[in-house]
Amino acid sequence: MLEKILNRDDVKSFLAETITLVKYTQKEIPNTFCEEKIPKEQYCFYQTMDALIKYSILCKNASFDEYFEQLKRILKKLQTHNDIQTAINRLIVKTVEVELGIKEENDLTNQIVIKYVTSKYDDERYFFHALPSYLVDSDEFSNLEFVDKINQIIKILDQYKINHSLKEIVKDNQMMSYTDSPFMAFFYAYNSPIILYQLCIDLIRKNSKTEIESNDFFYKNFDKCYNYLDSILKKHELPMSEREKILTFFEQEWKKINEEYLPVLMVIKKTDMKKCNTSTFKDKDLAVCVMNILDSRWNDYKLPSSIRNAYLIHLPSLKEILKNTENQDNNNLVKDTPSQDMLEVGDSYGNVTIVAILGVLFIALGVILMIIMIERG
């Protein structure tokens, strides 16, 4: 159901707006989510997808159009993460009530909603692993040559005391990390492959006091990402031979990101995981209770990479999402500025105003000259 929703033109159009219009890209958000720094420019993008997947899990009969319109209003009007989260959870509660045919809230109906959300979302909680489409049918970390290259890079970085997280990726190449947070799953999906993200954005953040433009990796801007990495390696005075080993690896891996690149989510249900236990919450506020049920419990849950009972969700690429905006104001962040037509109208109005003022001045001058001539006569 989620793929069908994401393929709707109105949904893709709104997703494009969330990363191109200032009213969506400047929200007040926490510094980190699950220990990851989420750029403001990407926040509403992931928040929208998070809300869409929760609808697809919880609802079948409630009107999606109404849910989507309310979601857009929330993200347009509210400015802080807490306010947005609270409003979306209240929207989910109202939508579930419509789904269940509930027309008024009381203790009994609240328990019905809690039981329904728990059974649909908590008991069958979904876990996600993000990867690029070109890795769906392969497992790079079982490739000894690939792992050997990573270990060589780790050795170089350690030797020159460059802080990094690559060890976490290869310390157990038979395991894969899953998250139960749709929000984080979409972040990892659109910032995959993880090896390049760790080598580029994460490594640079750990070794630089200057904040970098992480949207460059989100938009897969190779030149800027390559230059970021090269600069930090030069700063740590790596010999050219060592620097080239890392940069060559980076470039070779980047070439695998081609025109057919798509972000993909591998999805598995909690019922397929033996050691994963959840708990339910009780609260007087129904929306808070539902929020606690929907909240993430694990962002780095390890599962064997050989697992084969996961199914795949293919997400639209950024190129596909943004294709309808290519001819609209050059797809930049200042779409609220006046259009050229409006500017031309403004200029015309200015010209008319100047002519009018000059006309008044000439009339006044004529009147003054007439008075002078009368007095002389």
Side-chain angles (χ1 to χ4, degrees), residues 22 47 59 63-64 81 92 105-106 114 152 158-159 162 189 191 198 203 221-222 277 280 307 320 344 367:
V22 175
Q47 195 67 270
C59 301
S63 170
F64 173 76
H81 169 69
I92 289 173
E105 288 187 14
N106 54 51
I114 292 169
Q152 287 181 36
D158 288 346
Q159 180 182 348
I162 299 177
N191 287 278
Q198 292 284 9
L203 182 145
N221 187 324
F222 170 76
N277 296 313
T280 55
I307 194 165
E320 182 182 354
E344 288 173 357
V367 171

Side-chain angles (χ1 to χ4, degrees), residues 28 124 155 160 264 272 319:
E28 297 176 27
E124 297 186 7
K155 185 177 179 180
Y160 290 91
V264 175
D272 296 320
K319 183 178 180 181

